[in-house]
mmCIF file of all heavy atoms in Angstrom:
data_model
loop_
_atom_site.group_PDB
_atom_site.id
_atom_site.type_symbol
_atom_site.label_atom_id
_atom_site.label_comp_id
_atom_site.label_asym_id
_atom_site.label_seq_id
_atom_site.Cartn_x
_atom_site.Cartn_y
_atom_site.Cartn_z
ATOM 1 N N ILE W 315 69.975 -218.681 43.802
ATOM 2 C CA ILE W 315 69.196 -218.993 42.591
ATOM 3 C C ILE W 315 69.218 -220.497 42.331
ATOM 4 O O ILE W 315 68.191 -221.105 42.019
ATOM 5 C CB ILE W 315 69.759 -218.235 41.368
ATOM 6 C CG1 ILE W 315 69.656 -216.714 41.569
ATOM 7 C CG2 ILE W 315 69.033 -218.667 40.095
ATOM 8 C CD1 ILE W 315 68.275 -216.163 41.488
ATOM 9 N N LEU W 318 66.832 -222.669 44.358
ATOM 10 C CA LEU W 318 65.413 -222.678 43.993
ATOM 11 C C LEU W 318 65.021 -223.968 43.268
ATOM 12 O O LEU W 318 63.831 -224.264 43.133
ATOM 13 C CB LEU W 318 65.083 -221.474 43.110
ATOM 14 C CG LEU W 318 65.167 -220.097 43.794
ATOM 15 C CD1 LEU W 318 64.930 -218.992 42.775
ATOM 16 C CD2 LEU W 318 64.178 -219.989 44.940
ATOM 17 N N ALA W 330 64.022 -218.330 48.399
ATOM 18 C CA ALA W 330 63.120 -217.330 47.823
ATOM 19 C C ALA W 330 62.941 -216.143 48.773
ATOM 20 O O ALA W 330 62.853 -214.987 48.336
ATOM 21 C CB ALA W 330 61.765 -217.967 47.516
ATOM 22 N N VAL W 332 65.183 -215.011 50.990
ATOM 23 C CA VAL W 332 66.408 -214.194 50.952
ATOM 24 C C VAL W 332 66.417 -213.314 49.700
ATOM 25 O O VAL W 332 66.714 -212.114 49.766
ATOM 26 C CB VAL W 332 67.669 -215.084 50.980
ATOM 27 C CG1 VAL W 332 68.931 -214.215 50.975
ATOM 28 C CG2 VAL W 332 67.673 -215.976 52.207
ATOM 29 N N LEU W 333 66.092 -213.888 48.559
ATOM 30 C CA LEU W 333 66.088 -213.121 47.305
ATOM 31 C C LEU W 333 65.027 -212.018 47.338
ATOM 32 O O LEU W 333 65.255 -210.922 46.818
ATOM 33 C CB LEU W 333 65.832 -214.068 46.132
ATOM 34 C CG LEU W 333 66.966 -215.066 45.839
ATOM 35 C CD1 LEU W 333 66.499 -216.142 44.877
ATOM 36 C CD2 LEU W 333 68.189 -214.343 45.289
ATOM 37 N N THR W 334 63.907 -212.299 47.978
ATOM 38 C CA THR W 334 62.869 -211.271 48.124
ATOM 39 C C THR W 334 63.379 -210.129 48.982
ATOM 40 O O THR W 334 63.163 -208.945 48.667
ATOM 41 C CB THR W 334 61.611 -211.878 48.764
ATOM 42 O OG1 THR W 334 61.117 -212.921 47.920
ATOM 43 C CG2 THR W 334 60.530 -210.832 48.952
ATOM 44 N N ASN W 335 64.059 -210.456 50.069
ATOM 45 C CA ASN W 335 64.620 -209.424 50.937
ATOM 46 C C ASN W 335 65.668 -208.590 50.208
ATOM 47 O O ASN W 335 65.754 -207.371 50.397
ATOM 48 C CB ASN W 335 65.245 -210.070 52.183
ATOM 49 C CG ASN W 335 64.218 -210.737 53.068
ATOM 50 O OD1 ASN W 335 63.035 -210.420 53.011
ATOM 51 N ND2 ASN W 335 64.650 -211.670 53.894
ATOM 52 N N MET W 336 66.456 -209.230 49.368
ATOM 53 C CA MET W 336 67.477 -208.501 48.604
ATOM 54 C C MET W 336 66.838 -207.580 47.569
ATOM 55 O O MET W 336 67.320 -206.471 47.315
ATOM 56 C CB MET W 336 68.401 -209.493 47.884
ATOM 57 C CG MET W 336 69.355 -210.259 48.777
ATOM 58 S SD MET W 336 70.369 -211.375 47.775
ATOM 59 C CE MET W 336 71.566 -211.931 48.982
ATOM 60 N N ALA W 337 65.749 -208.044 46.964
ATOM 61 C CA ALA W 337 65.142 -207.327 45.837
ATOM 62 C C ALA W 337 64.506 -206.000 46.243
ATOM 63 O O ALA W 337 64.074 -205.243 45.367
ATOM 64 C CB ALA W 337 64.103 -208.207 45.161
ATOM 65 N N THR W 338 64.451 -205.696 47.523
ATOM 66 C CA THR W 338 63.916 -204.396 47.929
ATOM 67 C C THR W 338 64.856 -203.265 47.545
ATOM 68 O O THR W 338 64.461 -202.103 47.567
ATOM 69 C CB THR W 338 63.680 -204.371 49.450
ATOM 70 O OG1 THR W 338 64.894 -204.679 50.135
ATOM 71 C CG2 THR W 338 62.621 -205.391 49.843
ATOM 72 N N GLN W 339 66.098 -203.585 47.176
ATOM 73 C CA GLN W 339 67.067 -202.581 46.728
ATOM 74 C C GLN W 339 67.256 -202.710 45.219
ATOM 75 O O GLN W 339 67.483 -203.814 44.707
ATOM 76 C CB GLN W 339 68.405 -202.779 47.453
ATOM 77 C CG GLN W 339 68.270 -202.664 48.968
ATOM 78 C CD GLN W 339 69.582 -202.910 49.672
ATOM 79 O OE1 GLN W 339 70.488 -202.076 49.640
ATOM 80 N NE2 GLN W 339 69.698 -204.056 50.319
ATOM 81 N N VAL W 340 67.171 -201.593 44.543
ATOM 82 C CA VAL W 340 67.177 -201.595 43.082
ATOM 83 C C VAL W 340 68.436 -202.246 42.516
ATOM 84 O O VAL W 340 68.356 -203.076 41.599
ATOM 85 C CB VAL W 340 67.038 -200.155 42.544
ATOM 86 C CG1 VAL W 340 67.112 -200.151 41.024
ATOM 87 C CG2 VAL W 340 65.730 -199.539 43.012
ATOM 88 N N LEU W 342 70.469 -204.458 43.827
ATOM 89 C CA LEU W 342 70.468 -205.910 44.029
ATOM 90 C C LEU W 342 69.406 -206.576 43.165
ATOM 91 O O LEU W 342 69.605 -207.689 42.673
ATOM 92 C CB LEU W 342 70.233 -206.239 45.501
ATOM 93 C CG LEU W 342 71.299 -205.756 46.497
ATOM 94 C CD1 LEU W 342 70.993 -206.278 47.891
ATOM 95 C CD2 LEU W 342 72.687 -206.205 46.059
ATOM 96 N N ARG W 343 68.282 -205.889 42.985
ATOM 97 C CA ARG W 343 67.222 -206.459 42.154
ATOM 98 C C ARG W 343 67.709 -206.636 40.719
ATOM 99 O O ARG W 343 67.423 -207.660 40.076
ATOM 100 C CB ARG W 343 65.985 -205.562 42.191
ATOM 101 C CG ARG W 343 64.812 -206.144 41.419
ATOM 102 C CD ARG W 343 63.517 -205.447 41.753
ATOM 103 N NE ARG W 343 63.488 -204.061 41.345
ATOM 104 C CZ ARG W 343 63.338 -203.024 42.148
ATOM 105 N NH1 ARG W 343 63.214 -203.211 43.441
ATOM 106 N NH2 ARG W 343 63.320 -201.781 41.695
ATOM 107 N N ASP W 344 68.448 -205.670 40.224
ATOM 108 C CA ASP W 344 68.988 -205.787 38.868
ATOM 109 C C ASP W 344 69.941 -206.970 38.755
ATOM 110 O O ASP W 344 69.931 -207.704 37.761
ATOM 111 C CB ASP W 344 69.713 -204.495 38.475
ATOM 112 C CG ASP W 344 68.753 -203.314 38.341
ATOM 113 O OD1 ASP W 344 67.533 -203.563 38.193
ATOM 114 O OD2 ASP W 344 69.215 -202.168 38.394
ATOM 115 N N THR W 345 70.758 -207.155 39.782
ATOM 116 C CA THR W 345 71.697 -208.279 39.771
ATOM 117 C C THR W 345 70.945 -209.603 39.812
ATOM 118 O O THR W 345 71.295 -210.558 39.101
ATOM 119 C CB THR W 345 72.647 -208.188 40.975
ATOM 120 O OG1 THR W 345 73.305 -206.917 40.979
ATOM 121 C CG2 THR W 345 73.693 -209.289 40.923
ATOM 122 N N ILE W 346 69.924 -209.677 40.644
ATOM 123 C CA ILE W 346 69.114 -210.902 40.733
ATOM 124 C C ILE W 346 68.466 -211.211 39.388
ATOM 125 O O ILE W 346 68.457 -212.359 38.927
ATOM 126 C CB ILE W 346 68.052 -210.741 41.839
ATOM 127 C CG1 ILE W 346 68.711 -210.700 43.216
ATOM 128 C CG2 ILE W 346 67.038 -211.879 41.784
ATOM 129 C CD1 ILE W 346 67.759 -210.326 44.332
ATOM 130 N N GLN W 347 67.937 -210.183 38.737
ATOM 131 C CA GLN W 347 67.289 -210.397 37.436
ATOM 132 C C GLN W 347 68.289 -210.850 36.380
ATOM 133 O O GLN W 347 67.948 -211.642 35.495
ATOM 134 C CB GLN W 347 66.596 -209.105 36.995
ATOM 135 C CG GLN W 347 65.379 -208.739 37.845
ATOM 136 C CD GLN W 347 64.870 -207.338 37.563
ATOM 137 O OE1 GLN W 347 65.475 -206.593 36.810
ATOM 138 N NE2 GLN W 347 63.756 -206.982 38.180
ATOM 139 N N SER W 348 69.525 -210.394 36.499
ATOM 140 C CA SER W 348 70.541 -210.789 35.524
ATOM 141 C C SER W 348 70.907 -212.266 35.641
ATOM 142 O O SER W 348 71.496 -212.844 34.731
ATOM 143 C CB SER W 348 71.802 -209.930 35.696
ATOM 144 O OG SER W 348 72.456 -210.235 36.922
ATOM 145 N N ASP W 350 68.663 -214.578 35.889
ATOM 146 C CA ASP W 350 67.511 -215.314 35.359
ATOM 147 C C ASP W 350 66.668 -215.936 36.466
ATOM 148 O O ASP W 350 66.334 -217.128 36.440
ATOM 149 C CB ASP W 350 67.992 -216.400 34.390
ATOM 150 C CG ASP W 350 66.885 -216.841 33.434
ATOM 151 O OD1 ASP W 350 65.857 -216.134 33.370
ATOM 152 O OD2 ASP W 350 67.044 -217.874 32.771
ATOM 153 N N ILE W 351 66.304 -215.113 37.437
ATOM 154 C CA ILE W 351 65.476 -215.615 38.540
ATOM 155 C C ILE W 351 64.095 -216.033 38.057
ATOM 156 O O ILE W 351 63.467 -216.933 38.630
ATOM 157 C CB ILE W 351 65.352 -214.546 39.653
ATOM 158 C CG1 ILE W 351 64.617 -215.148 40.863
ATOM 159 C CG2 ILE W 351 64.663 -213.293 39.149
ATOM 160 C CD1 ILE W 351 64.530 -214.232 42.055
ATOM 161 N N THR W 352 63.614 -215.408 36.984
ATOM 162 C CA THR W 352 62.265 -215.713 36.506
ATOM 163 C C THR W 352 62.122 -217.186 36.142
ATOM 164 O O THR W 352 61.173 -217.860 36.563
ATOM 165 C CB THR W 352 61.919 -214.836 35.295
ATOM 166 O OG1 THR W 352 62.048 -213.459 35.659
ATOM 167 C CG2 THR W 352 60.493 -215.087 34.843
ATOM 168 N N HIS W 353 63.070 -217.712 35.362
ATOM 169 C CA HIS W 353 63.015 -219.127 34.999
ATOM 170 C C HIS W 353 63.168 -220.005 36.234
ATOM 171 O O HIS W 353 62.532 -221.063 36.336
ATOM 172 C CB HIS W 353 64.112 -219.455 33.984
ATOM 173 C CG HIS W 353 63.754 -219.090 32.574
ATOM 174 N ND1 HIS W 353 64.065 -217.849 32.038
ATOM 175 C CD2 HIS W 353 63.104 -219.780 31.599
ATOM 176 C CE1 HIS W 353 63.627 -217.805 30.780
ATOM 177 N NE2 HIS W 353 63.040 -218.956 30.485
ATOM 178 N N LEU W 355 62.105 -219.482 39.152
ATOM 179 C CA LEU W 355 60.917 -219.459 40.004
ATOM 180 C C LEU W 355 59.738 -220.233 39.414
ATOM 181 O O LEU W 355 58.743 -220.449 40.110
ATOM 182 C CB LEU W 355 60.477 -218.013 40.267
ATOM 183 C CG LEU W 355 61.329 -217.224 41.278
ATOM 184 C CD1 LEU W 355 60.915 -215.754 41.281
ATOM 185 C CD2 LEU W 355 61.192 -217.814 42.672
ATOM 186 N N LYS W 369 56.056 -218.202 48.943
ATOM 187 C CA LYS W 369 57.343 -217.495 48.884
ATOM 188 C C LYS W 369 57.731 -217.185 47.437
ATOM 189 O O LYS W 369 58.310 -216.128 47.156
ATOM 190 C CB LYS W 369 58.436 -218.322 49.558
ATOM 191 C CG LYS W 369 58.180 -218.639 51.029
ATOM 192 C CD LYS W 369 58.050 -217.389 51.869
ATOM 193 C CE LYS W 369 57.848 -217.731 53.339
ATOM 194 N NZ LYS W 369 57.644 -216.526 54.174
ATOM 195 N N ALA W 370 57.418 -218.103 46.528
ATOM 196 C CA ALA W 370 57.745 -217.872 45.114
ATOM 197 C C ALA W 370 56.921 -216.708 44.549
ATOM 198 O O ALA W 370 57.445 -215.856 43.822
ATOM 199 C CB ALA W 370 57.494 -219.144 44.304
ATOM 200 N N ALA W 371 55.645 -216.667 44.885
ATOM 201 C CA ALA W 371 54.797 -215.564 44.418
ATOM 202 C C ALA W 371 55.279 -214.235 44.982
ATOM 203 O O ALA W 371 55.284 -213.211 44.290
ATOM 204 C CB ALA W 371 53.341 -215.813 44.820
ATOM 205 N N LEU W 372 55.709 -214.251 46.236
ATOM 206 C CA LEU W 372 56.213 -213.027 46.848
ATOM 207 C C LEU W 372 57.509 -212.581 46.170
ATOM 208 O O LEU W 372 57.748 -211.374 45.998
ATOM 209 C CB LEU W 372 56.446 -213.262 48.341
ATOM 210 C CG LEU W 372 56.644 -212.028 49.217
ATOM 211 C CD1 LEU W 372 55.437 -211.101 49.123
ATOM 212 C CD2 LEU W 372 56.883 -212.431 50.667
ATOM 213 N N ALA W 373 58.333 -213.540 45.767
ATOM 214 C CA ALA W 373 59.569 -213.201 45.049
ATOM 215 C C ALA W 373 59.247 -212.570 43.702
ATOM 216 O O ALA W 373 59.928 -211.634 43.258
ATOM 217 C CB ALA W 373 60.428 -214.454 44.865
ATOM 218 N N ILE W 374 58.208 -213.060 43.029
ATOM 219 C CA ILE W 374 57.770 -212.443 41.768
ATOM 220 C C ILE W 374 57.343 -211.003 42.018
ATOM 221 O O ILE W 374 57.708 -210.086 41.268
ATOM 222 C CB ILE W 374 56.607 -213.240 41.156
ATOM 223 C CG1 ILE W 374 57.067 -214.619 40.688
ATOM 224 C CG2 ILE W 374 55.971 -212.467 40.005
ATOM 225 C CD1 ILE W 374 57.946 -214.611 39.477
ATOM 226 N N ALA W 375 56.579 -210.787 43.077
ATOM 227 C CA ALA W 375 56.117 -209.433 43.393
ATOM 228 C C ALA W 375 57.289 -208.500 43.662
ATOM 229 O O ALA W 375 57.232 -207.311 43.345
ATOM 230 C CB ALA W 375 55.180 -209.473 44.607
ATOM 231 N N ALA W 376 58.367 -209.035 44.255
ATOM 232 C CA ALA W 376 59.510 -208.195 44.616
ATOM 233 C C ALA W 376 60.423 -207.903 43.435
ATOM 234 O O ALA W 376 61.109 -206.870 43.416
ATOM 235 C CB ALA W 376 60.317 -208.869 45.732
ATOM 236 N N THR W 377 60.440 -208.800 42.449
ATOM 237 C CA THR W 377 61.404 -208.642 41.349
ATOM 238 C C THR W 377 60.793 -208.099 40.063
ATOM 239 O O THR W 377 61.527 -207.594 39.207
ATOM 240 C CB THR W 377 62.080 -209.995 41.043
ATOM 241 O OG1 THR W 377 61.083 -210.988 40.783
ATOM 242 C CG2 THR W 377 62.921 -210.452 42.233
ATOM 243 N N ALA W 378 59.481 -208.191 39.895
ATOM 244 C CA ALA W 378 58.849 -207.765 38.633
ATOM 245 C C ALA W 378 58.466 -206.290 38.680
ATOM 246 O O ALA W 378 57.339 -205.916 38.356
ATOM 247 C CB ALA W 378 57.620 -208.626 38.350
ATOM 248 N N CYS W 379 59.416 -205.453 39.057
ATOM 249 C CA CYS W 379 59.112 -204.025 39.277
ATOM 250 C C CYS W 379 59.491 -203.140 38.107
ATOM 251 O O CYS W 379 59.393 -201.920 38.204
ATOM 252 C CB CYS W 379 59.820 -203.543 40.550
ATOM 253 S SG CYS W 379 59.270 -204.390 42.039
ATOM 254 N N ASP W 380 59.964 -203.703 37.005
ATOM 255 C CA ASP W 380 60.296 -202.892 35.839
ATOM 256 C C ASP W 380 59.860 -203.619 34.573
ATOM 257 O O ASP W 380 59.518 -204.806 34.593
ATOM 258 C CB ASP W 380 61.794 -202.567 35.788
ATOM 259 C CG ASP W 380 62.651 -203.818 35.866
ATOM 260 O OD1 ASP W 380 62.577 -204.643 34.948
ATOM 261 O OD2 ASP W 380 63.385 -203.978 36.864
ATOM 262 N N VAL W 381 59.862 -202.897 33.465
ATOM 263 C CA VAL W 381 59.349 -203.427 32.206
ATOM 264 C C VAL W 381 60.150 -204.634 31.748
ATOM 265 O O VAL W 381 59.587 -205.632 31.259
ATOM 266 C CB VAL W 381 59.369 -202.335 31.116
ATOM 267 C CG1 VAL W 381 58.940 -202.905 29.778
ATOM 268 C CG2 VAL W 381 58.454 -201.184 31.515
ATOM 269 N N GLU W 382 61.488 -204.588 31.911
ATOM 270 C CA GLU W 382 62.317 -205.704 31.457
ATOM 271 C C GLU W 382 61.985 -206.984 32.204
ATOM 272 O O GLU W 382 61.879 -208.067 31.612
ATOM 273 C CB GLU W 382 63.804 -205.369 31.641
ATOM 274 C CG GLU W 382 64.335 -204.287 30.721
ATOM 275 C CD GLU W 382 63.933 -202.883 31.169
ATOM 276 O OE1 GLU W 382 63.403 -202.751 32.296
ATOM 277 O OE2 GLU W 382 64.133 -201.935 30.386
ATOM 278 N N ALA W 383 61.790 -206.872 33.514
ATOM 279 C CA ALA W 383 61.473 -208.055 34.315
ATOM 280 C C ALA W 383 60.119 -208.627 33.928
ATOM 281 O O ALA W 383 59.946 -209.849 33.838
ATOM 282 C CB ALA W 383 61.495 -207.702 35.802
ATOM 283 N N ARG W 384 59.159 -207.750 33.681
ATOM 284 C CA ARG W 384 57.836 -208.235 33.308
ATOM 285 C C ARG W 384 57.842 -208.838 31.896
ATOM 286 O O ARG W 384 57.106 -209.782 31.611
ATOM 287 C CB ARG W 384 56.808 -207.109 33.420
ATOM 288 C CG ARG W 384 56.550 -206.698 34.868
ATOM 289 C CD ARG W 384 55.356 -205.775 34.967
ATOM 290 N NE ARG W 384 55.620 -204.454 34.436
ATOM 291 C CZ ARG W 384 56.118 -203.446 35.133
ATOM 292 N NH1 ARG W 384 56.424 -203.609 36.410
ATOM 293 N NH2 ARG W 384 56.323 -202.261 34.581
ATOM 294 N N THR W 385 58.674 -208.298 31.034
ATOM 295 C CA THR W 385 58.830 -208.891 29.709
ATOM 296 C C THR W 385 59.387 -210.303 29.822
ATOM 297 O O THR W 385 58.940 -211.226 29.140
ATOM 298 C CB THR W 385 59.763 -208.033 28.840
ATOM 299 O OG1 THR W 385 59.218 -206.715 28.724
ATOM 300 C CG2 THR W 385 59.925 -208.640 27.457
ATOM 301 N N GLU W 386 60.351 -210.467 30.722
ATOM 302 C CA GLU W 386 60.922 -211.794 30.947
ATOM 303 C C GLU W 386 59.881 -212.756 31.517
ATOM 304 O O GLU W 386 59.857 -213.936 31.175
ATOM 305 C CB GLU W 386 62.121 -211.672 31.905
ATOM 306 C CG GLU W 386 62.893 -212.972 32.100
ATOM 307 C CD GLU W 386 63.495 -213.509 30.815
ATOM 308 O OE1 GLU W 386 63.845 -212.692 29.932
ATOM 309 O OE2 GLU W 386 63.603 -214.741 30.695
ATOM 310 N N LEU W 387 59.018 -212.235 32.371
ATOM 311 C CA LEU W 387 57.940 -213.071 32.913
ATOM 312 C C LEU W 387 57.037 -213.589 31.802
ATOM 313 O O LEU W 387 56.645 -214.761 31.784
ATOM 314 C CB LEU W 387 57.106 -212.264 33.914
ATOM 315 C CG LEU W 387 57.609 -212.165 35.348
ATOM 316 C CD1 LEU W 387 56.736 -211.197 36.129
ATOM 317 C CD2 LEU W 387 57.594 -213.528 36.010
ATOM 318 N N ALA W 392 56.064 -217.757 33.055
ATOM 319 C CA ALA W 392 55.830 -217.775 34.504
ATOM 320 C C ALA W 392 54.463 -217.216 34.886
ATOM 321 O O ALA W 392 53.996 -217.441 36.007
ATOM 322 C CB ALA W 392 56.928 -216.977 35.214
ATOM 323 N N TRP W 413 49.237 -210.093 45.116
ATOM 324 C CA TRP W 413 50.257 -209.037 45.202
ATOM 325 C C TRP W 413 51.104 -209.060 43.926
ATOM 326 O O TRP W 413 51.356 -208.014 43.308
ATOM 327 C CB TRP W 413 51.123 -209.293 46.441
ATOM 328 C CG TRP W 413 52.044 -208.178 46.811
ATOM 329 C CD1 TRP W 413 52.399 -207.108 46.048
ATOM 330 C CD2 TRP W 413 52.737 -208.014 48.056
ATOM 331 N NE1 TRP W 413 53.283 -206.286 46.732
ATOM 332 C CE2 TRP W 413 53.500 -206.829 47.964
ATOM 333 C CE3 TRP W 413 52.787 -208.767 49.223
ATOM 334 C CZ2 TRP W 413 54.309 -206.393 49.006
ATOM 335 C CZ3 TRP W 413 53.602 -208.314 50.259
ATOM 336 C CH2 TRP W 413 54.336 -207.142 50.160
ATOM 337 N N ALA W 414 51.552 -210.249 43.532
ATOM 338 C CA ALA W 414 52.371 -210.367 42.322
ATOM 339 C C ALA W 414 51.579 -209.933 41.087
ATOM 340 O O ALA W 414 52.112 -209.243 40.211
ATOM 341 C CB ALA W 414 52.858 -211.803 42.168
ATOM 342 N N VAL W 417 51.501 -206.186 40.863
ATOM 343 C CA VAL W 417 52.756 -205.616 40.359
ATOM 344 C C VAL W 417 52.881 -205.846 38.858
ATOM 345 O O VAL W 417 53.262 -204.945 38.107
ATOM 346 C CB VAL W 417 53.955 -206.235 41.108
ATOM 347 C CG1 VAL W 417 55.264 -205.756 40.500
ATOM 348 C CG2 VAL W 417 53.907 -205.872 42.593
ATOM 349 N N CYS W 418 52.542 -207.048 38.420
ATOM 350 C CA CYS W 418 52.688 -207.384 36.998
ATOM 351 C C CYS W 418 51.719 -206.610 36.114
ATOM 352 O O CYS W 418 51.966 -206.440 34.922
ATOM 353 C CB CYS W 418 52.475 -208.884 36.793
ATOM 354 S SG CYS W 418 53.775 -209.905 37.521
#
Side-chain angles (χ1 to χ4, degrees):
I315 298 288
L318 292 175
V332 181
L333 292 168
T334 299
N335 294 338
M336 288 180 171
T338 57
Q339 301 178 73
V340 177
L342 297 186
R343 184 165 65 241
D344 293 341
T345 305
I346 292 171
Q347 291 169 354
S348 69
D350 201 13
I351 186 175
T352 303
H353 279 91
L355 285 171
K369 300 300 182 183
L372 195 59
I374 292 289
T377 55
C379 298
D380 54 64
V381 176
E382 291 77 10
R384 291 191 288 271
T385 301
E386 186 61 31
L387 276 173
W413 191 345
V417 174
C418 292

